[in-house]
Amino acid sequence: MNSKFRGVIPPVVTPLTAAGEVDRVSFENSLNRMIDAGVNGLFVLGSSGEVAFSTDDRRKEIIQTAMEIVDGRVPVLVGCIDTETNRVIEHALEARELGADAIVATAPFYALGGLPEIERHFRLIHEAVPDTPLFAYDIPVCVHTKLPGDLLVRLGLDGVLTGVKDSSNDDVAFRFLVDDNNKAGHPLTLLTGQEVVVDGAYMAGADGSVPGLANVEATGYVHMWNAYQEGDWRAVREEQDKLAALMRIVTVTSGVSGFGAGVGAFKTALALLGVFATNQMPNPVLPLKGENVRRIADVLKENGLELAATPEEVSESTER
Amino acid sequence: MNSKFRGVIPPVVTPLTAAGEVDRVSFENSLNRMIDAGVNGLFVLGSSGEVAFSTDDRRKEIIQTAMEIVDGRVPVLVGCIDTETNRVIEHALEARELGADAIVATAPFYALGGLPEIERHFRLIHEAVPDTPLFAYDIPVCVHTKLPGDLLVRLGLDGVLTGVKDSSNDDVAFRFLVDDNNKAGHPLTLLTGQEVVVDGAYMAGADGSVPGLANVEATGYVHMWNAYQEGDWRAVREEQDKLAALMRIVTVTSGVSGFGAGVGAFKTALALLGVFATNQMPNPVLPLKGENVRRIADVLKENGLELAATPEEVSESTER
Amino acid sequence: MNSKFRGVIPPVVTPLTAAGEVDRVSFENSLNRMIDAGVNGLFVLGSSGEVAFSTDDRRKEIIQTAMEIVDGRVPVLVGCIDTETNRVIEHALEARELGADAIVATAPFYALGGLPEIERHFRLIHEAVPDTPLFAYDIPVCVHTKLPGDLLVRLGLDGVLTGVKDSSNDDVAFRFLVDDNNKAGHPLTLLTGQEVVVDGAYMAGADGSVPGLANVEATGYVHMWNAYQEGDWRAVREEQDKLAALMRIVTVTSGVSGFGAGVGAFKTALALLGVFATNQMPNPVLPLKGENVRRIADVLKENGLELAATPEEVSESTER
Amino acid sequence: MNSKFRGVIPPVVTPLTAAGEVDRVSFENSLNRMIDAGVNGLFVLGSSGEVAFSTDDRRKEIIQTAMEIVDGRVPVLVGCIDTETNRVIEHALEARELGADAIVATAPFYALGGLPEIERHFRLIHEAVPDTPLFAYDIPVCVHTKLPGDLLVRLGLDGVLTGVKDSSNDDVAFRFLVDDNNKAGHPLTLLTGQEVVVDGAYMAGADGSVPGLANVEATGYVHMWNAYQEGDWRAVREEQDKLAALMRIVTVTSGVSGFGAGVGAFKTALALLGVFATNQMPNPVLPLKGENVRRIADVLKENGLELAATPEEVSESTER
């Protein structure tokens, strides 16, 4: 329970310039803003951090830049996301070299396999970077496999896994995982990847959360975490209600889907708030424009956030 | 219809040494055997070619080795498989540099998106390597998106795509794609990725096939293609019947699934036939052993193939 | 191989009056037209026959009407489709009472289960109507389970199943099923439920076909079957090409999907051809109208079929 | 907010005799036990109530028996589950005739369709029984469609739907549905169909729960509901923790799946507790036996429940 990876650990959204390069100034704005809000850690190169869209050089640049900006103020977890074991291990070695406090890996994907391959995958990664804490990233919507709770706890007991980032959207399985982990002596630090049902995950006993929306509004998640630590469930619920209302930025748009709608909305909100210089997206995704930007601006205003840029300015912040 | 990519184009299985390195001698054996059998091209680094399991260095080694061995005897298509556009483009530039005759790319995967992202993805890849023929690889079982026929034909007419490798296992959609492609003036070369229903794909009008089983038995597929070109459907059917019986090597095993069962059986058969030195598999997959190897040996013998190694020798060809 | 259920056995589309009642005159037109074209049997109350939309009384009326019209000229198979065993058995007893030559049942659906439940389901149905031939209807798109080939062959050898209607759209599995069935002594009569890849199913060795499009154009399917029996593959292919072009009636529409698009197009074509009085659909599906009807009319005309009603007349044949 | 359908409304498990008939005595035991525990309503013929397995006569018998036993003490909701609209309407008319306080219907299933058909389906059911409250049953695992929140709220505002029973296991969508429903003036009564994450659903603002486990242990769910009404979140969590531990009866078994594992465990627990005379299951499902019964007994004992029958007695309570 003394894990250094408890609490609010936002999956960091990566700011790009209009030309599609990493925007260092916006990155500083955003990371400092979250650290100042009191987050307990940062998760770089998660799905929201455009890991899948970034070349190896770009991934290295993102990690290095983040490590420099954070400068030890909070632990940094680094996503080492790739199709199969040997490719993941390369990313893991690089992340360790760059100073990652922990690495995060999914089940293998693209090629078809079964549970024996998944288990061996995590064991081989751990063997390659034995001193670096390893989190399993359970994200079936991307990798099309759900990590079974008994496998996760077994890998925790064997010292292979330090924790789990649960983005499975399966609250029943998460509940049973928490209980199994507790029965086993709490080998795993269990983090939920949710935004609008974090209250439920805390009721279930989560050790923390990794909410993408915390890029836009970290303070609320920090308050919710603190209230949870104090057993103040009424406050937990109130914070969650406010954050759920804000999360509507990802549902008010039209004509977009998936990463373009979700991370697109986060980037657009951050540009409207003046944290990011643009809402540029990585290839092949296009940034949100026009009416979609206006609707996001409306949600931000309805929820009491102050805009630093107009929707038109954000729409014009990129040429594409 | 004068495409240089018509006919039988096996997806090349990559031989590994017991230590997991690329086995150059076995690679030569196998590629020469297929070229001698009369195949019309080779597809390196497809799903069967362990592209997803190979690091970038390994991918480069596989391409280079294959290009040297083939030495211009047949066209070589190279799989440039990665999650999203910019990563795929890096592989495409490398493949072009190494002399690929064409590159093969799937829809983006891991991150969620929609048709606009898929279309832009292929257009951006083509822009990056405009003089290199580009094949779309339709493999929903791996990337979880089915490429729509109208999108493919449109990209063909626009000069973005040269062809399609169809591994969608959707014979109805393939039939309609062939017809639409014909109506549009045949901009696309359409290859089926099937093994046991190639006869049906030829009835539908396919321009060729990419059967993994051709690594084990290329001659039959060449005969079937020639019979198809001559309109001798009785011979097409007879060849397909024989190859379907041989394909049982992928279904007689137990306790394995996916890549480990499919490519595992191909490698095991090739080791039993003396073409490969081992049946080693890439991490995290284990090679087939014991009873599974014996069952594959039985299928080979029942189908009249002569074994050069015993099942025991193959089982012991790797330590894992 | 002397099965009375070989050849072309169309799944009968049920004509409705504008008020939604069974239209006996249109039903006679349609069944007589198919029998005159030489079909080898008829499958009443299949998925296309709106079994899922029909109350028990309606189902009885459809069976009775069909049996009276057919009057023993060809065998009649009757779909006994319902969620679980005891409900299916009730339909089976009724179908037997009404003179069905065979009954057709899917795997159980709605409730979740596994292979043991599926096997027991078919065995219990057979026990309830032991003297009535039983076909398994493999239609995963509706029941969300694929029937495994080894289970089917085992039930065939045990005398539980007489045959399989394969609407799984999995041509690889069908190929292996045909081979396994042959090896076992051909206990099962294997019918494909496809329309545009029947040629491939015949190459694989199917014992017949159940194409919905045969309601619109039975003659072509009869020709294709005869050509297959004579080994004239060139003619098989030519007939399939023509029928695939005609099948575009189900893809030219917009704004509709599933049953409404597929059976909706069949009914609309039959109304345009003067076989059906209306293109009325069962609740909650609406009949095709306007532009969608015109597009179907265009496909019919392009394929040389003569219209007996204008698109406007068909659009106005129902009030909804 | 004055809905008579708020609170704990267990989906009633149907007891069978060894011969497979409805066991009236056990039914009385069970319903009285739940009513005495303070449940706010009962949901008869839900998925757990074996609606899919029951013939129409059996369904009628179950409703009649339940209505007689309940005798107005709590409201009774009746599941009217069938493939398409007209079949559902027949069940709805019957349920109304037998005195149902509300009816519950899923989206259409088996045949493929889209949102227009789903919306029309619910509207036509409501037209057929306009004075009977209608609940939408959102259960994608059975019907393979997720009901969209905006459709549900629109049907609520139009007076078509009285409420929703949410068994979608999608807590994010449920959260947004609760919020949208509140913004619209709370037209819908929103019930969660969960067992182990009811606390989270209450945090989100659910109007009640429909937990299958309440057949085994209703008191805990009643306590949790009361604690929620009083804002005592600590007590909500404690009750949920205890019930989650008890819910392990559905995960400790092996070799069974789906309905056989879930409802099979509930029936076995009820037989062990002496509430049911047997743990008999409907065709084609077999009752749990031997080791599986012993494991369930162990879970019950670990959670402080007193057994009235031995595992052996329960295993022998049926012949199958």
Side-chain angles (χ1 to χ4, degrees):
Chain A
M1 293 293 277
N2 294 317
S3 167
K4 66 193 271 197
F5 303 108
R6 298 178 76 239
V8 180
I9 303 176
V12 174
V13 174
T14 306
L16 301 179
T17 65
E21 300 302 315
V22 174
D23 178 348
R24 166 131 196 164
V25 173
S26 296
F27 214 2
E28 280 188 26
N29 287 345
S30 181
L31 298 187
N32 288 341
R33 186 168 169 262
M34 288 191 275
I35 294 170
D36 292 348
V39 300
N40 306 89
L42 291 166
F43 173 30
V44 171
L45 284 178
S47 304
S48 304
E50 57 200 62
V51 66
F53 298 91
S54 301
T55 63
D56 285 3
D57 284 349
R58 171 61 60 86
R59 291 186 186 199
K60 186 174 178 182
E61 183 185 3
I62 291 171
I63 302 171
Q64 275 183 323
T65 308
M67 297 306 298
E68 287 170 20
I69 294 168
V70 174
D71 196 25
R73 288 178 285 172
V74 294
V76 176
L77 297 81
V78 173
C80 298
I81 313 293
D82 216 317
T83 45
E84 299 284 342
T85 312
N86 290 356
R87 294 182 66 82
V88 174
I89 286 174
E90 283 203 339
H91 298 297
L93 293 169
E94 177 82 280
R96 183 180 65 177
E97 179 72 21
L98 296 171
D101 294 284
I103 63 171
V104 185
T106 69
F109 55 94
Y110 187 83
L112 302 183
L115 289 181
E117 283 87 0
I118 292 174
E119 177 157 357
R120 199 157 175 266
H121 172 76
F122 285 115
R123 291 188 184 278
L124 290 167
I125 298 169
H126 174 64
E127 282 176 25
V129 289
D131 300 325
T132 308
L134 171 61
F135 278 72
Y137 192 171
D138 192 18
I139 186 161
V141 74
C142 291
V143 306
H144 304 277
T145 313
K146 173 85 183 86
L147 296 174
D150 56 348
L151 170 65
L152 293 170
V153 172
R154 185 167 66 246
L155 291 173
L157 288 171
D158 287 355
V160 172
L161 293 180
T162 294
V164 177
K165 193 232 165 180
D166 183 277
S167 296
S168 69
N169 201 21
D170 184 338
D171 53 345
V172 172
F174 187 73
R175 175 91 204 196
F176 284 137
L177 173 61
V178 169
D179 290 348
D180 287 340
N181 189 48
N182 285 338
K183 275 186 209 154
H186 208 97
L188 298 167
T189 299
L190 299 176
L191 309 174
T192 178
Q194 298 288 0
E195 269 101 3
V196 303
V197 290
V198 176
D199 52 354
Y202 287 166
M203 289 293 267
D207 297 309
S209 61
V210 188
L213 185 66
N215 286 271
V216 179
E217 222 298 80
T219 309
Y221 285 103
V222 172
H223 286 174
M224 189 173 12
W225 170 255
N226 292 338
Y228 165 38
Q229 294 308 103
E230 294 157 12
D232 182 355
W233 292 104
R234 190 176 307 263
V236 167
R237 199 183 189 208
E238 279 170 15
E239 292 294 343
Q240 182 61 90
D241 278 346
K242 283 192 270 183
L243 291 163
L246 184 60
M247 187 65 181
R248 293 302 177 119
I249 57 174
V250 309
T251 63
V252 289
T253 52
S254 65
V256 290
S257 66
F259 184 86
V263 174
F266 293 156
K267 287 196 171 188
T268 298
L270 287 162
L272 287 163
L273 295 171
V275 180
F276 278 18
T278 80
N279 66 343
Q280 185 61 286
M281 297 291 281
N283 277 332
V285 185
L286 293 175
L288 298 179
K289 294 282 184 197
E291 179 61 17
N292 280 337
V293 176
R294 277 190 289 279
R295 289 184 196 163
I296 290 170
D298 289 345
V299 174
L300 295 177
K301 284 185 284 183
E302 285 162 18
N303 284 277
L305 298 187
E306 206 167 323
L307 303 197
T310 66
E312 290 66 35
E313 286 166 344
V314 172
S315 282
E316 289 160 17
S317 68
T318 64
E319 277 173 31
R320 290 210 292 246
Chain B
M1 294 292 277
N2 295 316
S3 166
K4 66 193 273 195
F5 303 108
R6 299 177 77 236
V8 180
I9 303 176
V12 173
V13 173
T14 305
L16 301 180
T17 65
E21 299 304 315
V22 175
D23 177 348
R24 165 131 195 165
V25 173
S26 296
F27 215 1
E28 278 189 26
N29 287 346
S30 181
L31 297 187
N32 288 339
R33 185 168 168 263
M34 288 191 276
I35 294 171
D36 293 346
V39 302
N40 306 91
L42 291 166
F43 173 31
V44 172
L45 283 178
S47 304
S48 304
E50 56 200 63
V51 66
F53 298 91
S54 302
T55 63
D56 285 2
D57 285 348
R58 172 60 61 87
R59 292 186 186 200
K60 186 175 178 181
E61 183 185 4
I62 291 172
I63 301 171
Q64 274 183 324
T65 309
M67 296 307 297
E68 287 169 20
I69 295 169
V70 175
D71 195 24
R73 286 179 286 172
V74 295
V76 176
L77 296 81
V78 173
C80 298
I81 313 294
D82 216 317
T83 45
E84 299 283 341
T85 312
N86 290 356
R87 294 182 66 82
V88 174
I89 286 174
E90 283 203 339
H91 297 299
L93 292 170
E94 178 82 281
R96 183 178 67 175
E97 179 72 20
L98 296 171
D101 294 286
I103 61 171
V104 185
T106 69
F109 55 93
Y110 187 83
L112 302 184
L115 289 181
E117 282 86 0
I118 291 174
E119 178 157 356
R120 198 157 176 266
H121 172 75
F122 285 115
R123 291 188 183 279
L124 289 166
I125 297 169
H126 175 64
E127 281 176 25
V129 288
D131 299 326
T132 306
L134 172 61
F135 278 72
Y137 193 171
D138 191 18
I139 187 161
V141 73
C142 291
V143 305
H144 303 278
T145 313
K146 173 85 184 85
L147 296 174
D150 57 348
L151 170 65
L152 292 170
V153 173
R154 185 166 66 246
L155 291 173
L157 288 170
D158 288 355
V160 171
L161 291 181
T162 293
V164 177
K165 195 233 163 178
D166 183 277
S167 296
S168 70
N169 201 21
D170 184 338
D171 52 346
V172 172
F174 186 73
R175 174 93 205 195
F176 284 138
L177 173 61
V178 169
D179 290 348
D180 286 341
N181 189 48
N182 285 337
K183 274 186 209 154
H186 208 97
L188 297 167
T189 298
L190 299 177
L191 309 174
T192 177
Q194 298 288 359
E195 270 99 4
V196 302
V197 290
V198 176
D199 52 354
Y202 287 166
M203 288 294 267
D207 297 310
S209 59
V210 188
L213 185 65
N215 286 272
V216 179
E217 222 298 80
T219 308
Y221 285 103
V222 172
H223 287 174
M224 188 172 15
W225 170 254
N226 292 338
Y228 164 38
Q229 294 308 101
E230 294 158 10
D232 182 356
W233 291 105
R234 191 176 307 263
V236 167
R237 200 184 188 207
E238 279 170 14
E239 293 294 343
Q240 182 63 90
D241 278 346
K242 283 191 271 181
L243 293 162
L246 185 59
M247 187 67 180
R248 294 301 177 121
I249 58 173
V250 309
T251 63
V252 289
T253 51
S254 66
V256 289
S257 66
F259 184 86
V263 174
F266 293 156
K267 288 197 171 187
T268 298
L270 287 162
L272 287 164
L273 295 172
V275 181
F276 278 18
T278 80
N279 67 342
Q280 186 60 288
M281 297 290 282
N283 276 333
V285 186
L286 292 176
L288 298 179
K289 294 282 183 195
E291 179 60 19
N292 281 337
V293 176
R294 278 190 289 279
R295 288 184 196 164
I296 289 170
D298 289 343
V299 174
L300 295 177
K301 285 185 283 184
E302 285 162 17
N303 285 276
L305 297 187
E306 206 167 323
L307 303 197
T310 66
E312 289 67 35
E313 286 166 345
V314 172
S315 282
E316 288 161 18
S317 67
T318 63
E319 278 175 32
R320 291 209 293 247
Chain C
M1 294 292 278
N2 294 315
S3 165
K4 67 193 271 197
F5 303 107
R6 298 178 77 237
V8 179
I9 304 176
V12 173
V13 173
T14 305
L16 301 180
T17 64
E21 299 303 315
V22 175
D23 178 348
R24 165 129 197 167
V25 173
S26 296
F27 215 0
E28 279 189 25
N29 287 345
S30 181
L31 297 187
N32 288 339
R33 186 169 168 262
M34 289 192 275
I35 293 171
D36 292 347
V39 302
N40 305 90
L42 291 166
F43 173 31
V44 171
L45 284 177
S47 304
S48 303
E50 56 200 62
V51 66
F53 299 91
S54 302
T55 62
D56 285 2
D57 284 348
R58 172 59 59 88
R59 292 186 186 200
K60 185 174 178 180
E61 182 185 4
I62 291 172
I63 302 172
Q64 274 183 324
T65 309
M67 296 308 296
E68 287 170 19
I69 295 169
V70 175
D71 194 24
R73 286 178 287 172
V74 295
V76 175
L77 296 81
V78 173
C80 299
I81 314 294
D82 216 317
T83 44
E84 300 283 341
T85 311
N86 289 356
R87 294 183 65 84
V88 174
I89 287 174
E90 284 203 339
H91 297 299
L93 293 169
E94 177 83 280
R96 182 179 67 176
E97 179 73 21
L98 296 171
D101 294 285
I103 62 171
V104 185
T106 70
F109 55 93
Y110 187 83
L112 302 183
L115 288 180
E117 282 87 0
I118 292 174
E119 177 157 357
R120 198 156 177 266
H121 172 76
F122 285 115
R123 292 188 184 277
L124 290 167
I125 297 170
H126 174 64
E127 282 176 26
V129 288
D131 299 326
T132 307
L134 172 60
F135 278 71
Y137 193 169
D138 192 18
I139 187 162
V141 74
C142 291
V143 306
H144 303 277
T145 312
K146 173 85 184 86
L147 296 174
D150 57 348
L151 171 64
L152 293 170
V153 172
R154 184 166 66 246
L155 290 173
L157 288 170
D158 287 355
V160 171
L161 291 182
T162 292
V164 177
K165 195 233 163 178
D166 183 276
S167 296
S168 70
N169 201 21
D170 183 337
D171 52 345
V172 172
F174 186 73
R175 175 92 204 196
F176 284 137
L177 173 60
V178 168
D179 291 348
D180 286 340
N181 190 48
N182 286 337
K183 273 186 210 154
H186 209 98
L188 297 167
T189 299
L190 299 177
L191 309 174
T192 178
Q194 298 289 358
E195 270 99 3
V196 302
V197 290
V198 176
D199 52 354
Y202 287 166
M203 288 294 268
D207 296 309
S209 59
V210 188
L213 185 65
N215 286 270
V216 179
E217 221 298 80
T219 309
Y221 284 103
V222 171
H223 287 174
M224 188 172 14
W225 170 254
N226 292 337
Y228 165 38
Q229 294 307 101
E230 294 158 11
D232 182 357
W233 292 104
R234 191 177 306 263
V236 167
R237 200 184 188 207
E238 280 170 14
E239 292 295 343
Q240 181 62 91
D241 278 346
K242 283 191 270 181
L243 292 162
L246 184 59
M247 188 65 181
R248 294 302 177 119
I249 57 173
V250 309
T251 64
V252 289
T253 52
S254 66
V256 290
S257 66
F259 184 87
V263 174
F266 293 156
K267 287 197 171 187
T268 299
L270 287 162
L272 287 164
L273 295 172
V275 180
F276 278 18
T278 80
N279 67 343
Q280 186 60 287
M281 297 291 282
N283 276 333
V285 187
L286 292 176
L288 298 179
K289 294 281 184 197
E291 179 60 18
N292 280 338
V293 176
R294 277 190 290 278
R295 289 184 196 164
I296 289 170
D298 289 345
V299 174
L300 295 177
K301 284 185 285 184
E302 284 162 19
N303 285 277
L305 297 188
E306 207 167 322
L307 303 197
T310 66
E312 290 66 35
E313 285 166 345
V314 171
S315 282
E316 288 161 17
S317 67
T318 63
E319 278 175 32
R320 292 210 294 246
Chain D
M1 294 293 277
N2 294 316
S3 166
K4 66 193 272 196
F5 303 107
R6 298 178 78 238
V8 180
I9 303 176
V12 173
V13 173
T14 306
L16 301 179
T17 65
E21 300 303 314
V22 174
D23 178 348
R24 166 130 197 164
V25 173
S26 296
F27 215 2
E28 279 189 25
N29 287 345
S30 181
L31 298 187
N32 287 341
R33 186 169 168 262
M34 288 191 276
I35 294 171
D36 292 347
V39 302
N40 306 90
L42 291 165
F43 173 31
V44 172
L45 284 178
S47 303
S48 305
E50 57 199 62
V51 66
F53 298 90
S54 302
T55 62
D56 285 3
D57 284 349
R58 171 61 60 86
R59 291 185 186 200
K60 185 174 178 181
E61 183 185 3
I62 292 171
I63 302 171
Q64 276 183 323
T65 309
M67 297 307 298
E68 286 170 22
I69 296 169
V70 175
D71 195 24
R73 287 179 286 172
V74 295
V76 175
L77 296 80
V78 173
C80 298
I81 313 294
D82 216 317
T83 45
E84 299 284 342
T85 311
N86 289 357
R87 293 181 66 82
V88 174
I89 287 174
E90 283 202 340
H91 297 298
L93 293 169
E94 177 82 280
R96 182 179 67 177
E97 179 72 22
L98 296 171
D101 293 285
I103 62 171
V104 185
T106 70
F109 56 94
Y110 187 83
L112 302 183
L115 288 180
E117 282 87 0
I118 292 174
E119 177 156 358
R120 199 157 176 266
H121 172 76
F122 285 115
R123 291 189 184 278
L124 289 167
I125 298 169
H126 174 63
E127 281 176 26
V129 289
D131 299 326
T132 307
L134 171 62
F135 278 72
Y137 192 170
D138 192 18
I139 186 160
V141 75
C142 291
V143 305
H144 304 276
T145 312
K146 173 84 183 87
L147 297 174
D150 57 348
L151 170 64
L152 293 170
V153 172
R154 185 167 67 246
L155 290 173
L157 289 171
D158 287 354
V160 171
L161 292 181
T162 293
V164 177
K165 194 232 165 178
D166 183 277
S167 296
S168 70
N169 201 21
D170 184 338
D171 53 344
V172 172
F174 186 73
R175 176 90 203 196
F176 283 137
L177 173 60
V178 168
D179 290 348
D180 287 340
N181 190 47
N182 286 338
K183 275 186 208 153
H186 209 97
L188 297 167
T189 298
L190 298 177
L191 309 174
T192 177
Q194 298 288 0
E195 269 100 3
V196 302
V197 290
V198 176
D199 52 354
Y202 287 166
M203 288 294 267
D207 297 309
S209 59
V210 188
L213 185 65
N215 286 272
V216 179
E217 221 299 79
T219 308
Y221 285 103
V222 171
H223 287 173
M224 188 174 12
W225 170 255
N226 292 338
Y228 165 38
Q229 295 308 102
E230 293 158 11
D232 182 356
W233 291 104
R234 190 176 306 262
V236 167
R237 200 184 187 207
E238 280 170 13
E239 292 294 344
Q240 181 62 89
D241 278 345
K242 283 191 270 182
L243 292 162
L246 184 60
M247 187 64 180
R248 294 301 177 120
I249 57 173
V250 307
T251 64
V252 289
T253 52
S254 66
V256 290
S257 66
F259 184 86
V263 174
F266 293 156
K267 287 196 171 187
T268 299
L270 287 162
L272 286 163
L273 295 172
V275 181
F276 278 18
T278 81
N279 66 343
Q280 185 62 288
M281 297 290 282
N283 277 332
V285 186
L286 293 175
L288 298 179
K289 294 281 184 198
E291 179 60 18
N292 280 338
V293 175
R294 278 190 290 277
R295 289 185 196 162
I296 290 170
D298 289 344
V299 174
L300 296 177
K301 285 185 283 184
E302 284 163 19
N303 284 278
L305 298 187
E306 205 167 323
L307 304 197
T310 67
E312 291 64 36
E313 285 166 345
V314 171
S315 282
E316 288 161 17
S317 68
T318 64
E319 278 175 32
R320 290 210 292 248

